[in-house]
Amino acid sequence: MLLADKTVIVTGASRGIGRAAARECARQGARVVIGHSGSSQGTEAAYSLIEEIKAFGGQAIEVGGDAADPDTGDKLVAAAVQAFGSVDVFVNNAGICPFHSFLDMPREVYLKTINTNLNGAYFAVQAAANQMKNQGRGGAIIAVSSISALVGGGMQTHYTPTKAGLHSLMQSCAIALGSYGIRCNSVLPGTIATDINKDDLADEEKLAYMTSRTPLGRLGEPDDVAGPIVFLASDMARYVTGASLLVDGGLFVNLQ
Ligand SMILES: NC(=O)C1=CN([C@@H]2O[C@H](COP(=O)(O)OP(=O)(O)OC[C@H]3O[C@@H](n4cnc5c(N)ncnc54)[C@H](O)[C@@H]3O)[C@@H](O)[C@H]2O)C=CC1
Ligand SMILES: C[C@H](O)[C@@H]1OC(=O)[C@H](O)[C@@H]1O
């Protein structure tokens, strides 16, 4: 098992990519902290994931908290240490992408997106890194960034800077934390069918267009991203830091 004896925190783990990542980490032997929004729906989903994990003999707890709140990272770390004694891997996954045009972008949509996807993440990564430094045996931090860190989206002008920001944060943290043995990397998913884009991809033309642009011929599924996250979390990637891994079925390189 790739993550035996490690404690892994995954934010936004109630559904989608985060849920798949948390489940796969548990399958690989990790003790998992399921971060979720704290809403009743999020809490219920987190408990159902705990049941799934327990059913195959894994261990997990849930912690609710708004990813935009700078204190949520501390809360996740404290719960991990209390339940499992350590934090070895931190996966920053929680995020939103409310599609909206640029010229009339409401300030509150812009600020909510930046606060949820980037500002809260900064302090959560800081909290996890301090815990790993104090433990003295290194660790791994993985940001779920996006192909959108590298390319734009006309309806994503508030979103793509947050993904570029996470990508850049991992590069700088790789330098800041390398001497503590803490590796920092990002995964850059392409288009993965989840709740975040359910409405956008309900448009059949858009769905067909995004599928046709993907050389592997299909959109991604959450489990497609879980494996690369586990790899970067594991000692298999022990000399990988400051890297970003596209998980996009070839979408990014498909110019013509
Ligand atoms: N689905 C896709 O095509 C892609 C998704 N991503 C990124 O993957 C990450 C996960 O998204 P998906 O699984 O696709 O979508 P999703 O909507 O299924 O999951 C998002 C998760 O984040 C949580 N979340 C949202 N706001 C939160 C808040 N304020 N506090 C705490 N938790 C909050 C949600 O509860 C949910 O668990 C996001 O950061 C997204 O930007 C990146 C590239 C592509
Ligand atoms: C929400 C989008 O469909 C999704 O999120 C991203 O980061 C990429 O832009 C994907 O298309």
Side-chain angles (χ1 to χ4, degrees):
M1 289 202 281
L2 290 173
L3 301 178
D5 218 27
K6 291 189 193 291
T7 303
V8 177
I9 299 174
V10 184
T11 69
S14 61
R15 62 175 196 240
I17 293 169
R19 187 181 183 100
R23 190 195 298 113
E24 191 53 35
C25 286
R27 269 210 193 95
Q28 294 295 337
R31 303 171 290 253
V32 174
V33 176
I34 299 164
H36 62 88
S37 65
S39 69
S40 55
Q41 209 180 11
T43 308
E44 203 176 306
Y47 276 108
S48 83
L49 180 56
I50 291 177
E51 288 313 310
E52 272 186 60
I53 289 172
K54 278 190 181 159
F56 58 74
Q59 294 181 71
I61 60 163
E62 57 73 40
V63 179
D66 184 355
D69 181 342
D71 291 331
T72 293
D74 289 322
K75 198 172 157 190
L76 287 163
V77 167
V81 172
Q82 191 185 12
F84 300 131
S86 67
V87 176
D88 303 291
V89 178
F90 181 74
V91 182
N92 193 87
N93 167 76
I96 55 172
C97 180
F99 284 74
H100 205 289
S101 45
F102 174 62
L103 293 174
D104 57 348
M105 177 68 67
R107 283 186 185 175
E108 58 274 19
V109 174
Y110 172 78
L111 291 171
K112 186 173 181 193
T113 306
I114 303 280
N115 285 333
T116 304
N117 294 7
L118 184 59
N119 291 342
Y122 184 95
F123 292 105
V125 167
Q126 186 189 52
N130 271 308
Q131 176 62 28
M132 290 172 188
K133 178 195 156 216
N134 293 340
Q135 290 168 190
R137 54 166 197 265
I141 298 174
I142 298 139
V144 179
S145 171
S146 170
I147 188 174
S148 300
L150 309 178
V151 288
M155 298 291 278
Q156 294 176 307
T157 58
H158 50 328
Y159 173 78
T160 59
T162 68
K163 294 292 150 177
L166 286 173
H167 172 55
S168 171
L169 178 63
M170 289 301 98
Q171 292 179 327
S172 290
C173 284
I175 304 165
L177 302 173
S179 60
Y180 303 108
I182 302 170
R183 300 181 296 100
C184 301
N185 296 291
S186 55
V187 290
L188 313 184
T191 297
I192 314 296
T194 66
D195 284 355
I196 208 171
N197 49 29
K198 203 166 63 183
D199 293 344
D200 186 48
L201 297 175
D203 174 350
E204 287 190 10
E205 251 179 61
K206 174 98 186 255
L207 175 63
Y209 173 68
M210 293 311 297
T211 307
S212 72
R213 288 202 50 194
T214 307
L216 288 183
R218 63 171 176 86
L219 299 188
E221 297 165 6
D223 278 334
D224 294 325
V225 189
I229 289 173
V230 165
F231 164 68
L232 289 171
S234 78
D235 294 341
M236 299 276 282
R238 63 185 173 270
Y239 199 57
V240 181
T241 196
S244 51
L245 180 50
L246 274 162
V247 187
D248 69 344
L251 181 59
F252 179 71
V253 297
N254 188 12
L255 180 60
Q256 54 185 311

